Amino acid sequence: MRARRTAPAAVAAAIVLLSASVAVAAPATAFEMPFPCGQTWTGTTYAKHSPNPNSIDWNRADDVDDAVVAAAPGTVSVAQAVDKGGYGKYVVIEHPNGEKSLYAHLNRLLVTAGQRIDQAQQIGAVGSTGSSTGAHLHFEERVGGSTVAAYFHGVKYAVGKAQASANCVDTPLAPDWNGDKVAQPTVFRRGNPASFQVHRPGTTPQVVSFGGATDEPVVGDWDGNGTINPGVRTPATRKFTLRSPGTGTIGIVFGSLTDRPVAGNWDGTRASEVGVWSSASATFHLRLSTGAVSRIVLGDANDLPVTGDWDADGVTDLGVYDQATSTFTLRRVDDEGIVWTAQVTYGAPGDLPVTGDWDGNGRTDLGTWTPLTATFNRRIATAPTAAARTTTTLQFGRHR
């Protein structure tokens, strides 16, 4: 698990032969490089590389503290935040088919065990913890308990080759950008810069450039003028960066390193506020307009947070989505202060949740986005929990 920045031709040839001798079937998971979209890295190995020469040590110039991202979606099974053992600080992600990926010698972790992780989401930073002799990322793709030859974008990686990351995925949203009360299917496209791509029927998407490849999208009415504006949260700094015509660009540091961002009108004022979802404690931390923080426990560690106005009272409600069972759990508070929760099954395992008012009736509807086909699936009903409903689909975004 040492850093190796170069591999002479003779050594590289020996590595290829040795790698072939320990090869197992290629992974079924559609892995991408464990680095943000467009970055170029070089991976090397050596004969005594543990656990076998299929392990890859990644480097580029001045790479200490560079972002490490998930090579594929899954659930964090190990998040070792204490520097001990050969791997030092490391993360293991278990993917839906039982295959795994491992990321070792990290300087710090941005995830916790049990947390659901999307592809290209930042999970840590390059370091030199454990038995490392120099900063690098030790990376493994595992099938059936064995570390196998790495494949990226469906192609076996040629050890020693400098390669650009194609880990450039979309994340779905459905804000009301133009103030007409109807949600517009949108994707946040990771890149440098990143961009919000807004669907417009019959014409090209509207493109709003904002944020970077490791940022998490968050949108809201930051100035209270009735329309939605872009924002992002940078995991490594815990900073929300919010942009609107009325307030310009503002920054708010809030939450912990492992939290996921949310936004909404928590207290019924005109402007949106920010918040975070903590997977470790299954808790929403909502930052009110006064600066006070409200904490609400909901869901489980492996859920994904969702928000919406489920009862059309002008206050944003909370919810969570279980990807494994395709189940939304929605929470609202009635006029008498009684808390109600309801469960609605919608979508398919592996879908990402997306909520928006599809029909403009003032109540937020449920929906999902299928990454393999880049399809929005929109559940339209008189209320999010109503039994009678219709479904519409729209293919928009970049499929995986």
Side-chain angles (χ1 to χ4, degrees), residues 103-356:
Y103 315 74
H105 307 313
L106 302 173
N107 255 3
R108 64 180 182 276
L109 274 57
L110 302 181
V111 295
T112 59
Q115 185 175 356
R116 195 76 175 182
I117 298 298
D118 194 19
Q119 185 177 337
Q121 182 178 336
Q122 187 176 359
I123 60 172
V126 173
S128 186
T129 57
S131 63
S132 169
T133 59
H136 68 289
L137 174 69
H138 174 101
F139 176 78
E140 301 174 22
E141 294 178 9
R142 294 179 173 181
V143 176
S146 299
T147 298
V148 301
Y151 279 71
F152 304 115
H153 214 66
V155 178
K156 184 178 179 180
Y157 176 64
V159 176
K161 176 185 176 183
Q163 184 164 311
S165 173
N167 205 342
C168 311
V169 304
D170 288 347
T171 300
L173 306 99
D176 171 22
W177 293 103
N178 57 18
D180 67 356
K181 309 303 181 183
V182 177
Q184 294 171 271
T186 301
V187 292
F188 179 73
R189 180 155 297 168
R190 295 187 181 276
N192 281 305
S195 63
F196 292 87
Q197 310 260 334
V198 185
H199 179 262
R200 296 188 296 179
T203 186
T204 57
Q206 178 184 0
V207 178
V208 180
S209 295
F210 197 69
T214 60
D215 289 335
E216 297 296 326
V218 56
V219 295
D221 184 1
W222 312 127
D223 55 10
N225 71 348
T227 59
I228 297 297
N229 297 294
V232 295
R233 184 177 187 263
T234 304
T237 62
R238 306 181 295 115
K239 182 179 180 180
F240 286 86
T241 304
L242 315 175
R243 187 177 73 187
S244 68
T247 59
T249 299
I250 60 174
I252 300 172
V253 176
F254 186 67
S256 70
L257 292 174
T258 60
D259 291 341
R260 298 289 298 272
V262 294
N265 188 346
W266 314 131
D267 49 14
T269 59
R270 289 179 59 85
S272 299
E273 294 91 33
V274 299
V276 294
W277 154 257
S278 173
S279 171
S281 60
T283 302
F284 285 90
H285 302 260
L286 310 179
R287 185 180 186 272
L288 307 181
S289 57
T290 61
V293 177
S294 173
R295 295 172 178 83
I296 298 171
V297 176
L298 183 67
D300 299 311
N302 64 348
D303 288 334
L304 297 175
V306 296
T307 60
D309 188 355
W310 316 133
D311 51 12
D313 67 352
V315 176
T316 302
D317 302 302
L318 305 176
V320 292
Y321 183 71
D322 186 329
Q323 277 188 301
T325 62
S326 309
T327 301
F328 287 88
T329 300
L330 308 180
R331 177 189 186 274
R332 71 178 184 89
V333 182
D334 68 16
D335 294 339
E336 297 179 350
I338 299 175
V339 176
W340 298 83
T341 59
Q343 290 191 324
V344 180
T345 300
Y346 188 72
D351 282 355
L352 291 172
V354 55
T355 59

Side-chain angles (χ1 to χ4, degrees), residues 91-108:
V91 170
V92 177
I93 299 176
E94 185 166 338
H95 306 289
N97 55 11
E99 296 177 348
K100 299 180 181 180
S101 54
L102 179 144
Y103 315 74
H105 307 313
L106 302 173
N107 255 3
R108 64 180 182 276

Side-chain angles (χ1 to χ4, degrees), residues 17 41 98 181 280 351 362 376:
L17 292 174
W41 290 74
K181 309 303 181 183
D351 282 355
F376 282 86

